[in-house]
Amino acid sequence: MKIGQRYTEVRKKIFTAIEKMDKPVSAQEIYDYIKQNYEEVDLASIYRNLELMNKSDAVNVILFGEGKKRYELKNMKGHHHHLFCEGCGDIKDIEMKEENLIKNVKNKEGFVIKKHNLEFFGLCPNCQ
Amino acid sequence: MKIGQRYTEVRKKIFTAIEKMDKPVSAQEIYDYIKQNYEEVDLASIYRNLELMNKSDAVNVILFGEGKKRYELKNMKGHHHHLFCEGCGDIKDIEMKEENLIKNVKNKEGFVIKKHNLEFFGLCPNCQ
DNA sequence: TTCATTATTGCAAATGATTTGCAATATGTC
DNA sequence: GACATATTGCAAATCATTTGCAATAATGAA
Ligand SMILES: [Mn+2]
Ligand SMILES: [Mn+2]
Ligand SMILES: [Zn+2]
Ligand SMILES: [Zn+2]
């Protein structure tokens, strides 16, 4: 979990922001949070660091089709999935074990589940 | 699977394009395909129709974190998932049954799988 | 501690995807 | 065929994210 090579103030703030907000957050939300609690950090720096944090596996990128990415700290919770409300955008963690997850998750958290997306990422034979 | 209220030339072309390309395609790819095979259709019209097609459940939106959405016809194949190559962007369908899917999919198609994203969509108690 | 090196940041502008307002056009109906 | 209006094309706007570059801050050698 080493990001870049220097432990900067900006990086500390970004880590703390994501941790405190405790849900998948967008770059803009991180920006807003930092602005309110510390001295402002440039959005471009936030994007650059999120990119680094993702490459170095410090954060996960989570997608709900809102037109932007959300980020979550990787070391905080174990591997898990999400439930996204298409009405209000509320997000819930799903920490059930993966066998039969897709069946068992029905009505978890009182949600009425309409669909799910499951995508795998890796490298194809040519790119390995 | 009724889109809007008129079966227009533009809609026919979009359907055909997605069907012929036979993989999750972006709005721009649909635009390019149509331009080569028929008379050009405006990108804005493509976006407007994809939006409608999604709301009326004619297409699925698929996200790989590329910064854009991909669309797939819903009635063509049964429900399935995807494998995305982070090297070249190649996409494969995964049609295994869902019990133990996440375990069993390892090395499917010769891919080395690094991670997966599983998100559920629905309505929370407040929004139902 | 001070200094030098260079990674990182801020700022402004660029890019790319998607959305929107509006007038022109096409479709389904009578 | 003529009408009512859903749909389209076009241009401009918006939003998320990226990028170039000069200023600044972190780290380690002296
Ligand atoms: Mn989570
Ligand atoms: Mn598919
Ligand atoms: Zn809700
Ligand atoms: Zn590949």
Side-chain angles (χ1 to χ4, degrees):
Chain A
M1 198 185 30
K2 186 144 148 307
I3 311 309
Q5 32 229 281
R6 296 176 183 179
Y7 191 48
T8 68
E9 291 306 312
V10 165
R11 281 169 190 167
K12 287 178 201 167
K13 290 177 190 164
I14 294 176
F15 264 108
T16 311
I18 304 180
E19 187 180 351
K20 290 280 175 54
M21 288 190 281
D22 188 41
K23 59 162 198 145
V25 289
S26 65
Q28 182 67 53
E29 287 169 345
I30 295 171
Y31 172 84
D32 294 338
Y33 182 94
I34 291 177
K35 189 166 185 179
Q36 290 184 307
N37 297 277
Y38 312 89
E39 319 82 51
E40 184 170 356
V41 163
D42 197 84
L43 238 195
S45 300
I46 293 176
Y47 275 109
R48 276 187 281 235
N49 278 301
L50 287 171
E51 171 77 12
L52 273 180
M53 292 167 80
N54 184 225
K55 279 187 185 142
S56 58
D57 263 336
V59 298
N60 278 323
V61 174
I62 302 177
L63 306 164
F64 296 113
E66 306 160 286
K68 63 190 164 201
K69 295 178 180 176
R70 294 187 170 275
Y71 304 82
E72 192 169 57
L73 285 188
K74 218 163 181 173
N75 63 338
M76 296 300 289
K77 295 165 179 151
H79 169 74
H80 62 276
H81 306 107
H82 300 92
L83 203 43
F84 179 80
C85 177
E86 297 178 316
C88 62
D90 191 28
I91 301 167
K92 290 267 175 288
D93 284 338
I94 296 185
E95 319 210 32
M96 303 173 70
K97 59 184 194 311
E98 289 174 343
E99 308 100 65
N100 293 309
L101 173 57
I102 294 175
K103 270 185 186 159
N104 296 337
V105 78
K106 295 304 172 199
N107 290 33
K108 184 84 168 65
E109 303 278 357
F111 272 58
V112 171
I113 296 178
K114 285 172 48 189
K115 64 167 207 160
H116 63 263
N117 279 173
L118 171 55
E119 329 296 352
F120 294 87
F121 299 81
L123 292 174
C124 74
N126 291 329
C127 294
Q128 284 167 32
Chain B
M1 196 183 34
K2 185 143 148 305
I3 311 309
Q5 30 227 284
R6 295 178 182 176
Y7 192 49
T8 68
E9 290 307 313
V10 165
R11 282 168 190 168
K12 286 179 202 167
K13 289 176 191 166
I14 294 176
F15 264 107
T16 310
I18 304 179
E19 187 181 351
K20 289 280 174 56
M21 289 189 281
D22 189 41
K23 60 163 198 144
V25 288
S26 65
Q28 182 66 53
E29 286 169 346
I30 295 170
Y31 171 83
D32 293 337
Y33 182 94
I34 291 176
K35 189 166 186 179
Q36 290 184 307
N37 296 278
Y38 311 88
E39 319 83 50
E40 184 170 357
V41 163
D42 196 85
L43 239 195
S45 300
I46 292 176
Y47 275 110
R48 276 186 282 235
N49 278 300
L50 287 171
E51 170 77 12
L52 272 180
M53 292 167 80
N54 184 225
K55 280 187 185 140
S56 58
D57 263 335
V59 298
N60 277 323
V61 173
I62 301 177
L63 306 164
F64 296 113
E66 305 161 287
K68 63 190 164 201
K69 295 178 180 175
R70 293 187 171 276
Y71 304 82
E72 193 169 57
L73 285 187
K74 218 163 183 174
N75 64 339
M76 295 301 289
K77 295 165 178 151
H79 169 75
H80 62 275
H81 305 107
H82 299 93
L83 204 43
F84 178 80
C85 177
E86 298 178 315
C88 63
D90 191 28
I91 301 167
K92 289 267 176 289
D93 284 337
I94 295 186
E95 319 210 30
M96 303 172 69
K97 60 184 193 311
E98 289 174 341
E99 307 100 65
N100 292 311
L101 173 57
I102 294 175
K103 270 184 187 160
N104 296 337
V105 78
K106 296 301 174 200
N107 289 34
K108 183 84 169 64
E109 304 277 357
F111 272 58
V112 170
I113 296 178
K114 284 172 49 188
K115 64 168 207 161
H116 65 263
N117 279 174
L118 170 55
E119 329 296 352
F120 293 87
F121 298 82
L123 292 174
C124 74
N126 291 328
C127 294
Q128 284 167 32

